[in-house]
Amino acid sequence: MPTSDSHFDELANELEGSGASAGSMFGKRSLMIQGKGFACLKDDFLAFRLGAGSDAHTAALVLDGSELFDPSGKGRPFKDWVAVPSAHAEQWSELAEAALLHITSGAFNTK
């Protein structure tokens, strides 16, 4: 049975041609482009920086078990990020591509 780590590895390989690479963010494995993180693996969830209010953000939040990403675990979630459980790993690729587009389009605010 594939693990969250193996799904992450497949995704990292898949996105390599887009200029994305594996890295570290919040002390966790992440996907980066141009020094900016757009996906972060935490436990059995992969969190995606989709942009609050975007269609992809809204669609990700309705997936069973998904939630706003709280990397510290202290009740301070990031509004632009959605953590999606590995039960929906078949959708991780589409969500990663949406997050990558969000980052590379300059649509996110760096403040």
Side-chain angles (χ1 to χ4, degrees), residues 98-110:
L100 179 59
L101 180 62
H102 175 68
I103 291 295
T104 58
S105 71
F108 77 102
N109 188 345
T110 58

Side-chain angles (χ1 to χ4, degrees), residues 22-87:
S24 181
M25 183 172 60
F26 310 122
K28 307 293 181 197
R29 297 179 72 197
S30 64
L31 295 173
M32 315 280 287
I33 189 155
Q34 301 167 355
K36 299 174 187 138
F38 64 93
C40 181
L41 185 66
K42 183 177 180 193
D43 303 321
D44 198 36
F45 290 80
L46 187 56
F48 303 94
R49 188 176 193 171
L50 299 167
S54 71
D55 290 344
H57 188 276
T58 301
L61 271 177
V62 300
L63 295 172
D64 189 42
S66 294
E67 58 192 28
L68 290 178
F69 181 46
D70 181 6
S72 70
K74 296 181 180 181
R76 296 187 306 251
F78 293 171
K79 65 179 180 173
D80 287 337
W81 291 74
V82 179
V84 178
S86 65

